[in-house]
């Protein structure tokens, strides 16, 4: 097998933590019970699922429940279902930030087709939503406000607590996509729903979850055997759940050391890329995300020239679709600036050497381009 490139795309996905792999294996190999069966094998599997829920809940607000899903995208779709009940109170408006991930953005658009008014709220040139403008936009007709914690493309952190307060002041609910912040950035206690994903925290792919505040009723997303409180039927995978739980527990345990490590690597990267401009706020951001641009650079060419580094041009989630980055456009960047932007995603398993080698490879290729 050929050697992997230096991996600097930790917003797209993260490598599986070895501890997570170890926890998952017995549930795949030996303990194959259905967690919804009443016999001993089933109860063992069910206990593992509940341990995972406990481990994950340590990083979420109190007074709520975790519902497992197949991905954060599914969790967002599940959470949006809340608007159906609110519509009976005459609330037919949904507000999402213009910088939301496609999971939120496209789900919101699907509600437009069902007669809801969907407003994509602008962000400033720093990537942050203006609370004054949001306060004006949220009104008594608003059912749901969706604002993400950490942006997947530019790493900017939104003032989620204040946004939730604005939503509540008008009787609306607040859904927060915390996928890129879970386990790394504090999550405000006053949100109503939070979508999370295991593969962004060194856990397995194929599992996400929605945290829902007690007292909020959601309609079933998937009908069937009534699992996950009747909202998401289907047999759970104890291996995936246990892996998610272990990944969350590790994030809790390593929170300070991970943060210090990633900050040190990020500082190093900012030093090596001092000739580049940071997209979005320089300070109100998660340090593991460095989205930068340099005038005159053709990122398409850069990516094919620098095969030894796995990095991203704009959002990895959107890149497969061929769509230009709506987040960079929402910052006010023109198409040339967007095409000269790269995203470096730094994670737990990167080293200073990774940053040194990757920045050298990228900067050398850029100098050739600009010569
Ligand atoms: N929200 C954000 C901010 C993301 O970065 C992603 C994935 O890139 C998602 C949602 C979707 O997560 P999943 O892959 O679990 O559906």
């Amino acid at each position: 097998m050929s050697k992997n490139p230096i991996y600097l795309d930790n917003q797209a996905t993260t490598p599986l933590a070895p501890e997570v792999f170890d926890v998952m294996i017995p549930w795949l190999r030996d303990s194959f019970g259905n967690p919804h069966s009443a016999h001993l094998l089933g109860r063992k599997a069910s206990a593992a699922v509940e341990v995972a829920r406990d481990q994950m809940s340590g990083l979420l607000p109190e007074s709520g429940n975790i519902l497992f899903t197949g991905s954060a995208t599914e969790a967002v779709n599940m959470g949006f279902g809340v608007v159906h009940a609110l519509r009976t109170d005459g609330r037919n408006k949904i507000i999402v930030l213009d910088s939301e991930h496609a999971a939120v953005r496209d789900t919101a658009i699907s509600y437009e087709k069902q007669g809801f008014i969907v407003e994509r709220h602008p962000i400033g040139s720093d990537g942050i939503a203006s609370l004054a403008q949001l306060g004006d936009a949220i009104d008594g007709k608003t059912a749901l406000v969706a604002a993400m914690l950490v942006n997947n493309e530019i790493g900017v952190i939104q003032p989620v607590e204040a946004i939730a307060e604005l939503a509540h002041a008008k009787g609306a609910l607040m859904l927060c996509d915390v996928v890129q912040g879970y386990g790394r950035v504090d999550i405000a206690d006053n949100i109503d729903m939070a979508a999370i994903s295991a593969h962004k925290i060194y856990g397995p792919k194929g599992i996400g979850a929605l945290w829902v505040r007690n007292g909020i009723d959601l309609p079933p997303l998937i009908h069937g055997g009534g699992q996950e409180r009747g909202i998401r039927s289907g047999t759970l995978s104890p291996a995936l759940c246990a892996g998610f739980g272990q990944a969350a527990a590790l994030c809790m345990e390593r929170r300070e050391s991970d943060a210090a490590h990633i900050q040190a690597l990020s500082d190093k990267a900012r030093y090596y890329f001092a000739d580049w401009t940071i997209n979005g706020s320089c300070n109100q951001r998660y340090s593991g995300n460095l989205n930068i641009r340099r005038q005159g650079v053709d990122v398409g060419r850069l990516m094919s020239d620098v095969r030894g580094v796995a990095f991203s041009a704009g959002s990895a989630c959107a890149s497969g679709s061929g769509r230009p980055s709506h987040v960079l456009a929402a910052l006010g960047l023109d198409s040339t600036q967007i095409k000269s932007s790269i995203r470096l995603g730094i994670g737990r398993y990167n080293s200073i050497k990774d940053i040194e080698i990757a920045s050298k490879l990228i900067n050398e290729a850029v100098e050739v381009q600009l010569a």
Side-chain angles (χ1 to χ4, degrees):
M1 216 161 64
S2 63
K3 197 172 157 282
N4 274 339
I6 293 171
Y7 188 71
L8 286 180
D9 201 12
N10 283 277
Q11 276 79 45
T13 195
T14 50
L16 196 71
E19 298 90 334
V20 171
F21 180 78
D22 290 346
V23 161
M24 289 176 67
I25 290 301
W27 299 106
L28 292 166
R29 193 180 46 205
D30 317 309
S31 304
F32 57 87
N34 183 327
H36 314 293
S37 296
H39 51 63
L40 187 61
L41 269 180
R43 279 187 279 131
K44 254 180 81 177
S46 162
V49 168
E50 295 318 311
V51 167
R53 261 192 253 268
D54 268 5
Q55 289 171 310
M56 291 157 63
S57 66
L59 292 165
L60 288 161
E62 285 180 12
S63 316
N65 294 296
I66 291 169
L67 302 169
F68 284 113
T69 59
S71 62
T73 302
E74 188 188 323
V76 167
N77 276 265
M78 182 189 274
F80 262 75
V82 80
V83 299
H84 293 293
L86 297 171
R87 196 182 204 176
T88 56
D89 295 342
R91 293 180 180 269
N92 65 347
K93 186 165 155 184
I94 297 170
I95 298 179
V96 304
L97 298 189
D98 205 13
S99 53
E100 292 296 303
H101 185 274
V104 167
R105 191 180 167 89
D106 289 10
T107 304
I109 290 170
S110 78
Y111 278 85
E112 228 161 34
K113 292 175 198 126
Q114 299 175 51
F116 283 86
I117 296 164
V118 176
E119 188 178 311
R120 287 203 297 272
H121 197 79
I123 50 169
S125 58
D126 56 0
I128 298 164
S130 146
L131 291 175
Q133 283 175 15
L134 252 181
D136 288 342
I138 303 169
D139 59 18
K141 290 262 175 212
T142 309
L144 185 69
V145 178
M148 70 206 307
L149 178 58
V150 176
N151 187 274
N152 52 303
E153 290 194 42
I154 54 174
V156 163
I157 300 173
Q158 296 295 342
V160 166
E161 187 174 359
I163 296 174
E165 273 172 21
L166 291 174
H168 294 158
K170 295 287 163 61
L173 295 179
M174 158 82 178
L175 166 71
C176 189
D177 171 350
V178 303
V179 166
Q180 297 285 346
Y182 180 64
R184 301 165 174 138
V185 175
D186 285 342
I187 296 176
D189 268 337
N190 61 345
I191 57 173
D192 299 299
M193 289 177 279
I196 56 178
S197 181
H199 74 99
K200 310 288 184 174
I201 62 159
Y202 314 98
K205 292 172 187 56
I207 184 160
L210 184 72
W211 173 86
V212 189
R213 179 173 298 294
N214 289 339
I216 293 178
D217 283 330
L218 292 174
L221 180 72
I222 300 180
H223 300 271
Q227 291 93 343
E228 298 303 88
R229 297 174 178 255
I231 298 166
R232 200 259 189 180
S233 290
T235 303
L236 288 174
S237 158
L240 293 177
C241 294
F244 202 167
Q246 178 65 21
L250 274 175
C251 282
M252 252 177 115
E253 250 172 70
R254 303 179 52 133
R255 189 147 175 185
E256 279 173 26
S257 56
D258 276 357
H261 175 66
I262 288 168
Q263 184 67 55
L265 268 54
S266 171
D267 291 347
K268 203 62 181 184
R270 280 168 85 149
Y271 169 77
Y272 285 125
F273 290 100
D275 291 342
W276 297 61
T277 305
I278 293 181
N279 291 325
S281 169
C282 292
N283 310 314
Q284 201 166 318
R285 62 185 302 116
Y286 168 60
S287 61
N289 177 313
L290 198 58
N291 194 316
I292 48 180
R293 66 177 190 275
R294 183 146 173 212
Q295 203 181 340
V297 171
D298 172 349
V299 167
R301 184 176 152 199
L302 187 66
M303 291 185 74
S304 67
D305 287 347
V306 186
R307 296 290 170 91
V309 186
F311 64 106
S312 167
S315 162
C317 289
S319 64
S321 68
R323 288 188 276 187
S325 163
H326 69 275
V327 177
L328 297 182
L331 294 180
L333 301 192
D334 61 33
S335 65
T336 316
Q337 290 172 314
I338 292 174
K339 283 187 199 134
S340 65
S341 296
I342 60 171
R343 181 186 68 183
L344 303 174
I346 303 165
R348 177 190 293 162
Y349 300 110
N350 286 121
S351 63
I352 286 280
K353 205 161 177 53
D354 286 345
I355 303 297
E356 283 168 0
I357 297 172
S359 47
K360 188 164 181 289
L361 290 172
I362 293 171
N363 280 326
E364 278 176 1
V366 164
E367 292 317 322
V368 171
Q369 269 196 27
L370 298 182

